[in-house]
Amino acid sequence: HGAPDRVLEWYPDGQSLLYATSMTSPKNRFNQLYRVSAQGGLPEKLPVPYGEFGAISPDGRWIAYSSYESGIAEIYARPFPQIDSGKWQLSAKGGQTPLWSPDGRELFYRSGDAVMAVTIETTPAFKPGKPEILFRSLHVPFSTLDLRPWDISPDGKRFLMMKEQGSDTTAGAGPRKINVILNWFEELKQRVPASAN
């Protein structure tokens, strides 16, 4: 394919992976979404035109993805795995990197510096709400090299995002550092001797 594949996520059943491969068309560069079984075999190309990023709902019944099919990135949802049996545009003025809430009742996406939220009803039929700004953030923009620059906590109450370098607004804040401790258990045993029984 000419570029490395990017694993996006496991399917909810844990038996397949959703991944993207960078492709080139006469007009632009985009990613093609694929499904591959954990047991092996040939990858299955998903019929999602110009799909950049995909996310499968927690119940495994829906796929949300960003696509440049209209000329700008927008967020769409389709039934899954019967992708051709319906299609809904969820974003209003562009969107990238969709992310389902853990309960599947909301879909989040990024649009410029805004994190957008769309309520989702799935019974008796799929019905998206109107996109609303959840909050604004100086997060790292979407890139085909880093397909998942954010995530949501399992309880659905917090987001984890990469921020732009130098976007810290704390006065006088210097560069952040991360300490990585190797063999920490051995160091712990040396510093805290085991008590005698």
Side-chain angles (χ1 to χ4, degrees):
H1 297 284
D5 296 335
R6 304 282 189 245
V7 173
L8 301 177
E9 64 184 23
W10 282 98
Y11 279 54
D13 64 8
Q15 300 301 308
S16 300
L17 283 171
L18 177 67
Y19 76 94
T21 296
S22 182
M23 307 290 282
T24 303
S25 74
K27 292 184 177 180
N28 63 7
R29 203 177 146 142
F30 62 96
N31 288 300
Q32 176 61 56
L33 300 178
Y34 288 88
R35 172 185 188 169
V36 65
S37 170
Q39 282 74 41
L42 294 174
E44 172 192 352
K45 181 178 176 180
L46 299 181
V48 176
Y50 300 102
E52 282 292 322
F53 182 96
I56 301 165
S57 65
D59 64 5
R61 295 178 49 217
W62 312 97
I63 185 169
Y65 63 95
S66 57
S67 173
Y68 283 89
E69 63 188 89
S70 70
I72 63 168
E74 295 286 1
I75 303 295
Y76 299 91
R78 291 184 180 215
F80 193 79
Q82 300 83 16
I83 289 176
D84 291 328
S85 62
K87 178 179 170 186
W88 299 266
Q89 182 173 332
L90 305 181
S91 58
K93 296 179 181 176
Q96 295 173 320
T97 61
L99 187 63
W100 290 94
S101 65
D103 64 8
R105 294 182 188 163
E106 281 186 290
L107 186 105
F108 307 103
Y109 65 91
R110 295 161 34 147
S111 180
D113 69 347
V115 170
M116 307 295 290
V118 177
T119 58
I120 304 290
E121 291 181 31
T122 59
T123 55
F126 189 91
K127 182 180 176 188
K130 181 181 174 187
E132 295 184 10
I133 295 174
L134 192 59
F135 62 89
R136 294 191 180 275
S137 170
L138 297 172
H139 49 260
V140 173
F142 171 82
S143 147
T144 56
L145 299 176
D146 186 8
L147 292 175
R148 195 164 184 130
W150 71 321
D151 210 341
I152 191 167
S153 64
D155 63 6
K157 294 182 179 179
R158 293 176 299 281
F159 291 96
L160 175 65
M161 306 177 144
M162 291 187 285
K163 290 181 109 179
E164 289 278 14
Q165 188 173 2
S167 64
D168 194 332
T169 57
T170 307
R176 304 278 177 154
K177 68 179 187 176
I178 297 175
N179 295 320
V180 178
I181 301 171
L182 302 176
N183 300 318
W184 69 271
F185 193 69
E186 295 302 317
E187 185 176 335
L188 178 65
K189 285 196 295 187
Q190 289 174 0
R191 291 177 183 238
V192 183
S195 60
N197 289 333

